[in-house]
Amino acid sequence: MMWGNWTTVKEFILVSFSTLSSEVQALLFLLFLTIYLITLMGNVLIILVTTADSALQSPMYFFLRNLSFLEIGFNLVIVPKMLGTLVIQDTTISFLGCATQMYFFFFFGAAECCLLATMAYDRYVAICDPLHYPVIMGRRSCAQLAAASWFSGVPVATVQTTWIFSFPFCGPNRVNHFFCDSPPVIALVCADTSLFELEALTATVLFILFPFLLILGSYVRILSTIFRMPSAEGKRKAFSTCSSHLLVVSLFYSTAILTYFRPRSNTSPENKKLLSLSYTVVTPMLNPIIYSLRNNEVKAALRRVVLRALGPQKL
């Protein structure tokens, strides 16, 4: 099917939170704007601190920088348009704009799933095979793993987005969501989408469930190794190095799995919007906070950065 032959819809309307009163939408705008600014500042701060501080040059912080870049991109794709729908009621999005938003949503989402699995592997090697850690997680290996995580988003984003927007849209154009996610967009297609839905399920298993199982397997081995450690101090240090990542993974995957693996009949559009807010808006804000508050090395680096910044003013 060619777009020019079939597509009569030139733009979509994002329903977003239009069913709520204007007062509630104004409050939501202020809330989401605050979260958005905290997210950007927090992740930028993580990038700057882990880049500038010589004590934070290990593979763990290299992957953390990549995660912060992903979270910033993920937020930029979703939140600005959502804020526009709330403050100026700009609910329309062009056909190309919707496809672009969906493409980068898939890209950053798949890349983040793979990067979280890579970070779990890094912790697994550090705790379960510490003698070989410098060799296994050398600079070149880390760069390759990070590049593979980023590249993993390209095929799923390209296939999913191209396939969806090659379908005919010849009827309603109201997307019952605050961004162009595939389920509410595919619901507007006036053609048989069963083959695409099978492919989408396969992609979801590969890029959400499979990395999650790898993370789960890594942490089973990690916890088994920690519990066998004779020293209580050693156990505490080992667990502290992976507790932040484990918490981030739990937040991200719990909402993503609830969103994409629940039967459609059990999930109303409003419930799905709330679940989507968790991993598109809230989790990217919490990640830098979690890594800052639960990681002594990051807290120490932040103090050093602040002292260096204030130092000249004291002289």
mmCIF file of all heavy atoms in Angstrom, residues 39-51 68 72 288 292 302 305:
data_model
loop_
_atom_site.group_PDB
_atom_site.id
_atom_site.type_symbol
_atom_site.label_atom_id
_atom_site.label_comp_id
_atom_site.label_asym_id
_atom_site.label_seq_id
_atom_site.Cartn_x
_atom_site.Cartn_y
_atom_site.Cartn_z
ATOM 1 N N THR A 39 13.705 16.655 35.329
ATOM 2 C CA THR A 39 14.276 15.560 34.548
ATOM 3 C C THR A 39 15.457 16.029 33.721
ATOM 4 O O THR A 39 16.525 15.402 33.716
ATOM 5 C CB THR A 39 13.208 14.953 33.619
ATOM 6 O OG1 THR A 39 12.126 14.452 34.405
ATOM 7 C CG2 THR A 39 13.780 13.815 32.791
ATOM 8 N N LEU A 40 15.271 17.133 33.004
ATOM 9 C CA LEU A 40 16.356 17.654 32.173
ATOM 10 C C LEU A 40 17.562 18.064 33.018
ATOM 11 O O LEU A 40 18.700 17.687 32.713
ATOM 12 C CB LEU A 40 15.863 18.849 31.359
ATOM 13 C CG LEU A 40 14.833 18.563 30.254
ATOM 14 C CD1 LEU A 40 14.475 19.847 29.520
ATOM 15 C CD2 LEU A 40 15.348 17.526 29.274
ATOM 16 N N MET A 41 17.315 18.809 34.084
ATOM 17 C CA MET A 41 18.428 19.273 34.915
ATOM 18 C C MET A 41 19.131 18.105 35.597
ATOM 19 O O MET A 41 20.365 18.065 35.668
ATOM 20 C CB MET A 41 17.916 20.274 35.951
ATOM 21 C CG MET A 41 17.494 21.608 35.359
ATOM 22 S SD MET A 41 17.088 22.863 36.615
ATOM 23 C CE MET A 41 15.610 22.144 37.332
ATOM 24 N N GLY A 42 18.355 17.142 36.098
ATOM 25 C CA GLY A 42 18.946 16.001 36.788
ATOM 26 C C GLY A 42 19.809 15.154 35.881
ATOM 27 O O GLY A 42 20.941 14.785 36.239
ATOM 28 N N ASN A 43 19.312 14.858 34.690
ATOM 29 C CA ASN A 43 20.083 14.015 33.773
ATOM 30 C C ASN A 43 21.282 14.760 33.189
ATOM 31 O O ASN A 43 22.343 14.158 32.988
ATOM 32 C CB ASN A 43 19.166 13.490 32.657
ATOM 33 C CG ASN A 43 18.305 12.331 33.111
ATOM 34 O OD1 ASN A 43 18.793 11.234 33.343
ATOM 35 N ND2 ASN A 43 17.012 12.584 33.248
ATOM 36 N N VAL A 44 21.125 16.056 32.920
ATOM 37 C CA VAL A 44 22.272 16.844 32.459
ATOM 38 C C VAL A 44 23.342 16.895 33.542
ATOM 39 O O VAL A 44 24.544 16.784 33.259
ATOM 40 C CB VAL A 44 21.830 18.265 32.057
ATOM 41 C CG1 VAL A 44 23.041 19.182 31.872
ATOM 42 C CG2 VAL A 44 21.015 18.221 30.770
ATOM 43 N N LEU A 45 22.915 17.033 34.789
ATOM 44 C CA LEU A 45 23.869 17.067 35.902
ATOM 45 C C LEU A 45 24.624 15.742 36.014
ATOM 46 O O LEU A 45 25.843 15.730 36.236
ATOM 47 C CB LEU A 45 23.138 17.376 37.207
ATOM 48 C CG LEU A 45 24.017 17.612 38.446
ATOM 49 C CD1 LEU A 45 24.935 18.797 38.228
ATOM 50 C CD2 LEU A 45 23.141 17.814 39.683
ATOM 51 N N ILE A 46 23.903 14.628 35.871
ATOM 52 C CA ILE A 46 24.552 13.312 35.908
ATOM 53 C C ILE A 46 25.602 13.212 34.801
ATOM 54 O O ILE A 46 26.726 12.740 35.014
ATOM 55 C CB ILE A 46 23.514 12.189 35.762
ATOM 56 C CG1 ILE A 46 22.667 12.054 37.039
ATOM 57 C CG2 ILE A 46 24.188 10.858 35.438
ATOM 58 C CD1 ILE A 46 23.407 11.485 38.224
ATOM 59 N N ILE A 47 25.254 13.669 33.601
ATOM 60 C CA ILE A 47 26.193 13.614 32.469
ATOM 61 C C ILE A 47 27.430 14.455 32.764
ATOM 62 O O ILE A 47 28.569 14.010 32.561
ATOM 63 C CB ILE A 47 25.503 14.092 31.177
ATOM 64 C CG1 ILE A 47 24.421 13.088 30.745
ATOM 65 C CG2 ILE A 47 26.525 14.262 30.048
ATOM 66 C CD1 ILE A 47 23.512 13.601 29.649
ATOM 67 N N LEU A 48 27.223 15.676 33.248
ATOM 68 C CA LEU A 48 28.350 16.572 33.509
ATOM 69 C C LEU A 48 29.243 16.042 34.628
ATOM 70 O O LEU A 48 30.479 16.057 34.506
ATOM 71 C CB LEU A 48 27.832 17.968 33.869
ATOM 72 C CG LEU A 48 27.112 18.731 32.753
ATOM 73 C CD1 LEU A 48 26.586 20.066 33.270
ATOM 74 C CD2 LEU A 48 28.050 18.952 31.567
ATOM 75 N N VAL A 49 28.637 15.572 35.698
ATOM 76 C CA VAL A 49 29.423 15.102 36.842
ATOM 77 C C VAL A 49 30.209 13.844 36.497
ATOM 78 O O VAL A 49 31.402 13.737 36.801
ATOM 79 C CB VAL A 49 28.507 14.846 38.059
ATOM 80 C CG1 VAL A 49 29.259 14.109 39.164
ATOM 81 C CG2 VAL A 49 27.957 16.158 38.588
ATOM 82 N N THR A 50 29.563 12.875 35.848
ATOM 83 C CA THR A 50 30.267 11.625 35.517
ATOM 84 C C THR A 50 31.296 11.817 34.412
ATOM 85 O O THR A 50 32.178 10.978 34.239
ATOM 86 C CB THR A 50 29.268 10.536 35.099
ATOM 87 O OG1 THR A 50 28.479 10.994 33.983
ATOM 88 C CG2 THR A 50 28.347 10.162 36.249
ATOM 89 N N THR A 51 31.179 12.903 33.667
ATOM 90 C CA THR A 51 32.186 13.206 32.641
ATOM 91 C C THR A 51 33.379 13.948 33.238
ATOM 92 O O THR A 51 34.532 13.659 32.912
ATOM 93 C CB THR A 51 31.573 14.049 31.511
ATOM 94 O OG1 THR A 51 30.490 13.333 30.915
ATOM 95 C CG2 THR A 51 32.604 14.351 30.433
ATOM 96 N N SER A 68 21.339 8.516 30.857
ATOM 97 C CA SER A 68 20.844 9.885 31.002
ATOM 98 C C SER A 68 20.570 10.525 29.646
ATOM 99 O O SER A 68 19.573 11.237 29.469
ATOM 100 C CB SER A 68 21.856 10.728 31.788
ATOM 101 O OG SER A 68 21.908 10.311 33.139
ATOM 102 N N ILE A 72 16.844 11.861 28.422
ATOM 103 C CA ILE A 72 16.602 13.205 27.887
ATOM 104 C C ILE A 72 15.896 13.118 26.537
ATOM 105 O O ILE A 72 14.910 13.821 26.280
ATOM 106 C CB ILE A 72 17.929 13.977 27.768
ATOM 107 C CG1 ILE A 72 18.481 14.314 29.156
ATOM 108 C CG2 ILE A 72 17.738 15.259 26.953
ATOM 109 C CD1 ILE A 72 19.883 14.892 29.139
ATOM 110 N N PRO A 288 17.901 10.013 37.834
ATOM 111 C CA PRO A 288 19.047 10.745 38.384
ATOM 112 C C PRO A 288 18.955 10.951 39.884
ATOM 113 O O PRO A 288 19.975 10.987 40.572
ATOM 114 C CB PRO A 288 19.010 12.085 37.629
ATOM 115 C CG PRO A 288 17.625 12.211 37.115
ATOM 116 C CD PRO A 288 17.150 10.816 36.850
ATOM 117 N N SER A 292 21.717 9.597 42.435
ATOM 118 C CA SER A 292 22.402 10.619 43.229
ATOM 119 C C SER A 292 22.289 10.334 44.723
ATOM 120 O O SER A 292 23.265 10.473 45.467
ATOM 121 C CB SER A 292 21.818 12.004 42.931
ATOM 122 O OG SER A 292 22.003 12.333 41.581
ATOM 123 N N LEU A 302 29.376 15.123 43.356
ATOM 124 C CA LEU A 302 28.555 16.342 43.328
ATOM 125 C C LEU A 302 29.090 17.380 44.305
ATOM 126 O O LEU A 302 29.146 18.581 43.985
ATOM 127 C CB LEU A 302 27.097 15.987 43.665
ATOM 128 C CG LEU A 302 26.270 15.328 42.565
ATOM 129 C CD1 LEU A 302 24.946 14.841 43.117
ATOM 130 C CD2 LEU A 302 26.040 16.280 41.411
ATOM 131 N N VAL A 305 32.171 18.949 42.795
ATOM 132 C CA VAL A 305 31.821 19.881 41.724
ATOM 133 C C VAL A 305 31.320 21.196 42.304
ATOM 134 O O VAL A 305 31.686 22.294 41.851
ATOM 135 C CB VAL A 305 30.765 19.259 40.786
ATOM 136 C CG1 VAL A 305 30.197 20.314 39.842
ATOM 137 C CG2 VAL A 305 31.361 18.112 39.986
#
